[in-house]
Each structure stands twice: as C-alpha cells, then as structure tokens.
Amino acid sequence: MRRVLLGRPILVLRSQSGDIAAMGDVCPHRFASLSRGRFEDDIVECPYHGLRFDLNGVCVYNPHGDGKIPERARVASYPVIERHGAIWIWPGRSEAADETLIPDLSFLDAPSPFQRGDGYLRTKANYQLMSDNIMDLSHSDFVHRTTLGTDGATARAQAKTQLVDDIVTIEWSFDGKGLVMERTTANPPDIHTRIEVTWHVPSVMVIRVESHPVGEETTKRRTTAAHIMTPETDQSTHYFFGIWNKDHVDFARQIFETEDGVMLEDIERNMGGKDLWDLNPIVLSNDGGAVLVRRVLARKIKREQEGMIMDLAS
Amino acid sequence: MRRVLLGRPILVLRSQSGDIAAMGDVCPHRFASLSRGRFEDDIVECPYHGLRFDLNGVCVYNPHGDGKIPERARVASYPVIERHGAIWIWPGRSEAADETLIPDLSFLDAPSPFQRGDGYLRTKANYQLMSDNIMDLSHSDFVHRTTLGTDGATARAQAKTQLVDDIVTIEWSFDGKGLVMERTTANPPDIHTRIEVTWHVPSVMVIRVESHPVGEETTKRRTTAAHIMTPETDQSTHYFFGIWNKDHVDFARQIFETEDGVMLEDIERNMGGKDLWDLNPIVLSNDGGAVLVRRVLARKIKREQEGMIMDLAS
Amino acid sequence: MRRVLLGRPILVLRSQSGDIAAMGDVCPHRFASLSRGRFEDDIVECPYHGLRFDLNGVCVYNPHGDGKIPERARVASYPVIERHGAIWIWPGRSEAADETLIPDLSFLDAPSPFQRGDGYLRTKANYQLMSDNIMDLSHSDFVHRTTLGTDGATARAQAKTQLVDDIVTIEWSFDGKGLVMERTTANPPDIHTRIEVTWHVPSVMVIRVESHPVGEETTKRRTTAAHIMTPETDQSTHYFFGIWNKDHVDFARQIFETEDGVMLEDIERNMGGKDLWDLNPIVLSNDGGAVLVRRVLARKIKREQEGMIMDLAS
C-alpha cells in the first residue's frame, strides 16, 4: 500500500512472517512507484525495469546485462512497529527511533463487552487544525448543536489544562442536561459530565467521557476513543480513530464528515496555507488546550531542527 | 450571502429594518466563515465556537467561560449603501467613503413602459478586459456577427472619445442597415445609429443606443443599459447588468455567455495573468475608449497607492 | 488547428493550394486565439475585432476607421514542411531552418503489402522521459510482461550503442523464445531477435525489429515503426507514431495507453517536474542508449543557447 506521509510517498508492506515494513515508494533508478510493481516472497519488484528490493529497501536483484547491483540501489527504510492495531512509522533518523515514545493506547486492546471499532478519514486541512478541534471540545455546542452539543454547558465550563512530560491534558467537568441528542423529555434530569482529553506528541489524542445523573455516581457511563492525526501534506491529514465500541464508528464518521470536516476544510481555505499565529488570531478562554499543544509542538520542532543543524555542523 | 470581492471574502446581510450590512466573512478567532453560521435578530453567530457579531462587525457575545470579550474580537465593517437596485460597498478606508462617487444610474429607477431587468454572470477574466470589451463595441461586428453586428458599419465609424472629470465617454454615430438580426428584407432601409458609452471609476458603464430610419428622426428607438464589473480576483469578475427592458435580459445573458464570455476567458488564458501593456499590444483606432479608461484607472490607482504610502509615513 | 508546442499556441493551416502554414495563434492586438476565427480564401480573421492575416502571419486588412495597418500587426510565422505524412515545424530562427535535418523516414512512404498506420497520444510526461522509454526497450520484460515481454531475454542481452553524427543507435541481438504473447506451446522454438533503435535530434526514433527461428534465416519477420515525441509543455508531450502495418496501430495504442503511458505519467508526478540528473538516479547497464541520447541533446541545447547569447552580443 502506498501512503503519502509528510509529503513523502511511503510503501507499507506486510511480510510473510506477518511483520510490517515501510520504505520509500520511489525506485532510485527511474523513479517509478514501487507500489505499482509485484510483491512476492517478501520481495518488491519495480514495475518499470524489474529491480528487486528486500523489505529493508536494499536492491537484491538486477535483471539487466551482467546483473551487477550498484551500491546506491536502495530506498529509504523506516523503523516501523505494529501496536494497538495501528502501524507506527518513524520518519526520522533510524538510530533515534524509540518505541517507548508511542502513547499507551492499550485500552483499545482490552477485552470489551462491545467490540472495538476503527475509522479513517482524509481531510484537506493541516494536522494542527485537526488537533485544535479535539483539544477544544467546546465546539460541540455549535458545530454539533443538535447531537453532541450540550446547550452551551460545555462552553461555559472552565476547562483545566495541565502539562506533564510533554503530555497535555485538558478536563471539562460540569452539570447540565446531557447531550442534546439524548434528551427524551422536555425537562431532562441533571447530568454530571466529565471529559478528559490527553494529547501526545506529535498528534495522538485520547478522549475519555464519563457521565451520570447528578447524585447517582454508581450508574456511570464511560466512553473512550483515540484520535490520531498523521500529516499527509501541509494542507491535508490522514485522520485515524479507534473507539472502544464498534457501534459508535458509523456515527463518529458521519458527524466528522458532515460537520467537523466541512468546517476544518473551510478554515484551511480561509487561512490559505498560512501559519495560525501569523494570522494573529484572538485567543479565548476555551483555547487553553489547543494553544498549549501548539506551544509544546513548536518547542519540539525547534529542538529537532536545532539538532539537525548540530548534526550538520559536527 | 458570502461574496468574494477584490480577493476578500465579504459577508453581505440584510437587517430586520431592511438595511444592508457588509463585513468580513472570516471570524478573527479561528478563521471559520461566518456565512456558514446562524443569522438571527441582526446577529451573526460563528459556526465554530459561537462568537456573536452585530452588523457593525463587533463581537457582542462570547459563550465561553466567563464570557469576557477581547477588544480585538471584531471583523472589518464596510460602508455600504443600496441605490439603483444595487449594493455599493466601499472597500477602502471608512472615513474616505463618499456616496457622491456612485454614478447616476437613475434611469434604472424611472418608471418605464417596459419593466427593468437585471442579470448576473461570473466570468473568469480580469475586470479590465471586461470594460475593454464594452468600451470598444466595434467587436459586435465580429463577435456578434449574426445578431448585434452591423456588417462592419460600427467598426468603420470613427468613434469620438471624451474625458471630463474622470468620466470617459465614447460615441459612435453612423448610417448603415441596422442590426443584422433585425433585417427582414434583402435590401433593408438605411438606419442612423448613435451609440454612447459612459464609463465611471472604477468600472461602471452605461450604454445608450438610439436609432431611426435615415430622415425619420421622429421614430427614434432607444435602449439603455448599465454594466458593472466588480473584481472577484485578479482573474475573475462579477458582471452585473441592468437593462431598461426586462424582455432583453435573457437575450443579453445568452449573447454574453456564448460569445463575449467565451472570448474574454480565452484571452485571459492566452495572457496568462499578465498586464495588458506588459504584453505590448498593437493599438488600433478602435481602442480609443478602452485605452483612455485604462489610463484614467492607472492614474487613480497610482494616486491611491501614493496616498497609502503617505498615510504610513505620517 | 491549434496545437500547443514548446508551450506556445501555434495555428496550423492548410492553404487552398494544399500547402501547410504554421503561425502564432494569438492576435497581437488583444490576444484572442486566431483559431477561433474564420478561415477563408487563405485568410485568417481574428474573432474579436476582425483583423485579417495572410498565411505568412502578416496583417492584410484592418476593418476599423481608416483601415491603416500598424507595422507591428503580424504574428510569428514558422517554416514548415510536410514529409513522410507528418508536418515538420521549425520553431527557431527562420533563417536557420534546414529541411535536411529531418530524419529519413521514407520507409513509411514505401509501397507495402500492408498499409501504413498512424497514431497519436498525448501524455502528461516530459518528452525526454518518453524517449528514455524507447531507448531502453528492456522495459518490455516488465511493463509489457505478458505481451511484448521476452521473459527477461531482452533485459539480459547486452545492448550495443553507437553515436555517429548526432544519431544514436542502440541494438539488442539475442536468442530466446520470442514474444510472450506469441508463444503457442509450452516449449516454443528458439527465436533469434534483433532490435535496432535509431534516435535523431531532437526526439525522432525508428524501431526496427527482425526475428526468425534459430537456424532459419530465410524466414525473417520484420517490423518498423517511427516514434516522434513533440514537447507540448515541460510536463506533457504529443506522441506521434507511424507503423509499417496498419493492423498494428490499435494494439500499439492500447499497450501505450494502459502500460507505458500510465508508467510515464506516474514517474513525471514522482519527479515533480525536476530534471532527471538533479534527482541523482542510479545508472544501470540498460541505460546506455537513453543516457547517450540525453547527453547529445544536452550538448545541442547548450550550443543553441550559446548561439543565442552570441546573437545578442553581436
């Protein structure tokens, strides 16, 4: 499978032993896409002139003339690991790959009375606009007014943010009448709701929602979901999500496609590819989580780029 | 209604009292389009996080946390006036707005035995190519050969141009056989035709046509129409027209769509977005009106830009 | 007929006497496309304001006012000749036009038991990628595995290249089992195949294929075809081909459209408009012909550009 990540075409393959491999998808000879070629016995064959590469991206066969293999006949190979039902690719220097940096999403692997469900959507918006959206769930009261909205209760709640070890947490805790779409009477009972979102570098988020009728802590309802935003290009994002309950997947996809996605693509067009801060946005109390995330990310990116400059200097 | 003017998205609204308001269509918080939000009781609500703006573009409600409204929470508000059945928006500095600069199109408001008719077309061509087209009606003999053409009589007539107070007038006056599409016999009678086009800064034109059989001044036919070219972007134009006779609107739209519009979009593509003068066109006697208009416009634009520089310097 | 060549719109016309003329397709007055106008009695009329041009691109009639014709009222006129069933246009300085530079494709004109057949395809790839493809027919074993492929025999053959008077020749000569699509038994007879491709500046190629069962030289089969790559833009090419046997045209078109063309457009996208050498490709033994062609072409282009600089300096 070819997948463009960070602007680069990447070939993702599963070997006979079941392992995953990720390598550059462009042949170093004449730049054909390897994903258009044959894949047999853990060997990829370029569809244009038949060079063959192993799962480490190394050319192992040249069908031409005397068959000599040039030293440079290789494509980039990326450290990759499968965990929590997702494929994690390390696009930086291989030596620096560190799987302990993968956030703990083991709740997705846990046995559940419901089945886990997954979804994928491609959105024509920058990945940071996508995480802004999840780090500020007050948008539910407006974007999802008639479904996930709470008649303004989420927006009025003063959310608390916290930063520990590059992990950002934001928490809303409030009494209200519950989700608009779940109200069945004109005067629904008071519901206490607690929402917690944790963000991990570079763009993995977990949303945990708990709610119960006020005074009835024993009848808590819980739902947990992971949201992963992987940049395709500067202006498009692969959006993966995993929910602890398979039955919620279709609803989540529909809501995102028709409401969040439409909004985020409209904003990306209005911003014309510019950086958020260059456009000098006003900042409101509900921006706390999103702003903190952008700050941590900017610091990490700056440090990484300085690291690269030091590498070049040494 | 959202309308992109001069490359900027503008929100145009009608208030409960019937007045028109025009303001920036992009929320200063997270850059969503306000036109996607709700509009009730003269208040616009941002569809993303629910900030509310009045018709002056000022934020009057923040639904988040303690509800404090940041000073910068406002969008641009444009002076606007409704006149002659059109909405006139002033995109420059508000203090400089001057409604006496709106050309007199009161002929459109006058009682008429026919009813006034209006039309709108979007064309993928620069607005100056659109006014060039109207300031040189000799094109009728070629672009509209079988309809508005005159078998070359318009082209042969030496048009007279005049410049008074930044208003350009061009006049054709000639004897011929009338419009090709109106000829009913092989040897039609001689017709005298007088066409006058007046152009007003930046791109409002009025075409007046009078004709009568030679020697029969008492049986004059008259038709008058306004043509307004509003830049959408550098390479596209909103084209509004108003005709003193509703029955002519469909014909005008059809002629423009299938003949002028096709020509102008072809030319825009051939010019590749370049300035006319940079392409070093040859100039013919029929270019008088169009060239004079471009000269006046270039002078006004230069003066405006110098004014902006002086503003910055003072 | 309008045809964009080297990024320029060119108007190609056939005169009453049957000759071909080629001139710029954009009117020097207001940049309308002349190909949208009338063409009668060897005169082209601009569709916008009716200027008329003869087949040398010279304005011969101005219908406006006193009819004076400005000296600059002309479009570029290109030396052109019809030969071997193709139209050859000289886009450089007219004085330098030299019809002896047209490669000898007279095999296409020769009487044949079969009829000659021609084809045309437009491909969104640079013309040099198109000639690379033909100068390295080893790709048949991979791109055309089940049709023109030879089970790797072409790829294994060490092709010989030769450069004489700016003409590049590459020759493959090998024993195998013939084309995969022609094998009718599990153990087909041994076939000797000889393929010769000659390339002429800037991008005309002739492919000659001969084959016969090993030891039976008397039963040779021969096929010859010309392939001409004319740049439309930097990233698109007009591909013309002529085959000595009309019955092969549909097959050739289908193979190119579904196999070569798809590959070349994929590569053009992967290269993102960059020059091949700037992307630092690895070079294999099968690249000999393609690399030699690129070297000759680069030398010719450099010499031409230096000539232009000397022209400017003198």
Side-chain angles (χ1 to χ4, degrees), chain C residues 17-192:
Chain C
S17 66
D19 293 338
I20 294 287
M23 58 179 88
D25 190 36
V26 177
C27 181
H29 172 226
R30 287 289 171 152
F31 310 114
S33 299
L34 298 178
S35 54
R36 292 178 172 273
R38 297 198 297 186
F39 178 53
E40 274 177 36
D41 299 334
D42 291 353
I43 295 292
V44 182
E45 187 184 275
C46 175
Y48 199 4
H49 299 97
L51 290 188
R52 293 183 190 164
F53 299 87
D54 68 15
L55 294 176
N56 297 313
V58 177
C59 180
V60 293
Y61 180 69
N62 168 9
H64 299 278
D66 64 6
K68 221 185 125 187
I69 296 173
E71 196 155 344
R72 286 174 44 236
R74 49 173 67 230
V75 294
S77 170
Y78 298 98
V80 62
I81 196 171
E82 210 173 354
R83 188 177 291 174
H84 307 315
I87 294 167
W88 303 83
I89 296 172
W90 182 268
R93 286 181 306 126
S94 296
E95 315 83 75
D98 178 359
E99 64 179 84
T100 66
L101 294 173
I102 297 175
D104 179 8
L105 305 179
S106 51
F107 76 90
L108 286 170
D109 309 325
S112 149
F114 320 103
Q115 279 184 281
R116 166 206 180 145
D118 297 324
Y120 166 74
L121 290 155
R122 183 176 169 272
T123 305
K124 284 182 250 164
N126 181 275
Y127 75 106
Q128 293 199 52
L129 294 179
M130 309 280 285
S131 54
D132 286 349
N133 187 51
I134 289 192
M135 294 308 291
D136 181 5
L137 293 176
S138 75
H139 78 260
S140 300
D141 281 332
F142 310 98
V143 178
H144 313 302
R145 191 183 305 268
T146 59
T147 52
L148 304 173
T150 58
D151 250 350
T154 311
R156 279 187 300 274
Q158 295 269 16
K160 287 177 208 151
T161 58
Q162 207 182 12
L163 170 62
V164 178
D165 293 341
D166 287 339
I167 296 170
V168 174
T169 304
I170 179 164
E171 184 197 322
W172 292 261
S173 181
F174 57 90
D175 291 348
K177 296 290 184 181
L179 303 187
V180 168
M181 70 179 180
E182 292 182 342
R183 299 179 190 176
T184 51
T185 66
N187 189 21
D190 287 335
I191 305 273
H192 181 77

Side-chain angles (χ1 to χ4, degrees), chain B residues 133 136-149 255-256 258-264 267, chain C residues 32 45-50:
Chain B
N133 187 53
D136 181 6
L137 293 175
S138 75
H139 78 260
S140 300
D141 282 332
F142 310 99
V143 178
H144 314 302
R145 192 184 305 269
T146 60
T147 52
L148 304 173
I255 285 281
F256 186 85
T258 58
E259 299 185 337
D260 303 82
V262 170
M263 178 70 62
L264 293 164
I267 288 172
Chain C
E45 187 184 275
C46 175
Y48 199 4
H49 299 97

Side-chain angles (χ1 to χ4, degrees), chain C residues 294-310:
Chain C
R294 282 183 174 261
R295 207 171 289 159
V296 174
L297 202 53
R299 179 163 46 76
K300 301 288 284 184
I301 290 171
K302 190 167 171 238
R303 203 170 292 173
E304 185 180 277
Q305 287 169 340
E306 287 169 352
M308 284 176 173
I309 290 164
M310 283 179 57

Side-chain angles (χ1 to χ4, degrees), chain B residues 35-104:
Chain B
S35 54
R36 291 179 172 272
R38 297 199 296 186
F39 177 53
E40 275 178 34
D41 299 335
D42 291 353
I43 295 292
V44 182
E45 185 183 275
C46 175
Y48 199 4
H49 300 98
L51 290 188
R52 293 183 189 164
F53 299 86
D54 67 16
L55 294 176
N56 297 313
V58 176
C59 181
V60 294
Y61 181 69
N62 168 9
H64 298 278
D66 63 7
K68 219 183 127 190
I69 296 174
E71 195 156 345
R72 285 173 47 234
R74 47 173 66 228
V75 295
S77 170
Y78 298 99
V80 63
I81 196 171
E82 210 172 355
R83 189 177 292 175
H84 309 315
I87 294 167
W88 304 83
I89 296 172
W90 181 268
R93 287 182 304 126
S94 296
E95 315 82 77
D98 178 358
E99 65 178 82
T100 67
L101 294 173
I102 297 175
D104 179 8

